[in-house]
Structures are given as C-alpha cells and as structure tokens.
Amino acid sequence: MAIIKTEHLSHLYSAGTPFEKAAIEDVSVEIEPGEFIGVIGHTGSGKSTLIQHFNGLLQPTSGKIYVDGKDIWDEKNKKNIRDVRFQVGLVFQYPEYQLFEETVYKDIAFGPGNMGLSKEEIHTRVMEAMDFVGLKGKYAEKSPFDLSGGQKRRVAIAGVIAMRPKVLILDEPTAGLDPKGRDKILGQIREYHQQTGSTVLLVSHSMEDIAKYAEKVLVMNHAKVFDYDTVERVFSKNEELTRMGLSVPQVSKVFHQLRAAGYPVSENVYTVDQAEADILRLLKAKGGAGRA
C-alpha cells in the first residue's frame, strides 16, 4: 500500500476571483514506503504546493490525498490533521529561520514534546536525531543562533527527524550552503534513509543531487505531473526537460557529446561515479584490445 497517494488532486489560489490560478491540477501519484523520491520542476511548477498537501498544510480544492491509506480530509480524519504532520515531516527551505528556542536541545525537543511523549522518550529522540544529522552532544546546550548556517540547518532537520515521521520531505535543504555543507547534509539524509527505511522526498533544483541520491523522480510542469519514473527514464528525456526549463546533470551532457563524437560511452550516465566507472571500463577494454 502506498504511504502517500493522491487522486485527481487540484488546488486553486484566489479561487472565485479574477486572480484565480491553478497551482496544481489533476495530480494522481502513488509513493511507496521506503522510496527516495526527487521532486523537480521550474519555479512556479507546483512542486512546493504539492508537498504542502502531503502533510496537510494545504487542503485540496478538489481531489483526495491519502496518507497510510487514510483520506486525511475525510470528515472523521480531518479533526486529527495534526497527527498527519507527525507522520509526514516537512522541512521548509531555509528552515533555520524557524529556530526559536534558547538551546539546540529544546528546539529539537519541541516537536516530540507536542506529541505528548515522556521526558525519557523525548531525550532519546533528541539525541538520536542529533546523531543522525551529525551534531555532537556538546551542541545540545548551545544557542542555535550561535551556530554556523550549516549547523543551524541540521538542527532544524533534526527537529523534524525527532518526531520519527514515516515520510520526510525536504524543500531545497541545501539552499545557500557551500558545496561542502551541501554534500554533508545530503549524505546524512541518505544515511538516515538507509538506516530508518523511511520514505524521503527531496525537492531540489540541482539535477546532480537528484541523480546522485534519488531512486525515482517526480517532474512537475505547469501545475501538472509531467513524469514520475526512475532517474534513468526521466533524465533520458533530455530535450523535453530542456524545453520546460530543466536539464539533465552536466556530466550527462558531456557523455552525450562524447557519444555524438563517436566515443563508445554509455548512454545512461547521470553521476560522476557512473562516469568514472564507464571511463575505467573503456580504458580497461582498450588495454585488453592492445594486448591482444
């Protein structure tokens, strides 16, 4: 059973006015438990509106959304919409701006505290979440406002992880960070996914990051789903993605040019690791041919 499922989901902003606009239109998708999904689309494509429906922050204008098999806006379920937000954790872009407690520990403990857990359970979850995002225990009593940008970002992510959501959604979690900080956070998110088996949705403008970390890609275009498939199948549609203002990873473009020049490189190369392996394969084959 899908952990998140939408049926003909639509959302209108300023409905019934001259400024009415469809932010998402007739979206039907199914996300299975344990998947790592990349979400891409040009600015204004509807991806941010869509993910806010996944945890009940926005209510559909029409259509349905199910979380763990339950229609979250059904009359008997919508009274407990807060429970959905415990199941589906959403980390907004620049989440460090939402930090507010006097210590890192209290900030991370805020969500679990709202779940009515015991102090012992809250402590366990806080320390576990800090470990997941690579924050040592010595930071627990520090003010989050004294930390670096990357550390603040990890505190904010830990605050959501501490609620142990079945689904973790991250909207541009590395925006504004340097390459080292970006790789650190994404690496920790992947490790979290692997260790917990949770479903993860990563919204990003970086095709390289999507190719490196995601298993499947959901492509939004003009409020609708353009494609929802494996990384290989989505990025094979280079020309269509380019027309909608997106692209494939840079390394894929390089390999496409190499193939056009007559070099026998693989078609489906989307990461630097894949590129390295393919070049080594060719060098090995060339060396073997030379010896023959």
Side-chain angles (χ1 to χ4, degrees), residues 17 22 60-61 79 117 133 276:
T17 76
T61 302
K79 297 176 183 178
L117 303 174
V133 300
E276 180 183 11

Side-chain angles (χ1 to χ4, degrees), residues 15-81:
T17 76
F19 304 102
E20 180 176 294
K21 180 182 179 181
I24 53 173
E25 186 175 355
D26 196 29
V27 172
S28 296
V29 296
E30 292 189 27
I31 296 170
E32 299 298 323
E35 290 186 317
F36 196 128
I37 309 294
V39 183
I40 62 175
H42 57 80
T43 301
S45 62
K47 57 186 185 297
S48 292
T49 299
L50 178 62
I51 62 173
Q52 288 181 62
H53 280 79
F54 287 166
N55 82 333
L57 279 180
L58 291 177
Q59 186 170 358
T61 302
S62 62
K64 293 185 177 182
I65 177 163
Y66 300 85
V67 173
D68 214 9
K70 295 181 180 179
D71 177 356
I72 67 173
W73 291 107
D74 180 84
E75 284 299 320
K76 63 181 180 181
N77 293 328
K78 67 181 183 180
K79 297 176 183 178
N80 301 313
I81 196 67

Side-chain angles (χ1 to χ4, degrees), residues 172-189:
E172 297 283 355
T174 62
L177 298 182
D178 59 36
K180 185 177 179 180
R182 183 186 71 208
D183 290 344
K184 190 173 185 66
I185 282 182
L186 290 175
Q188 287 161 341
I189 291 168

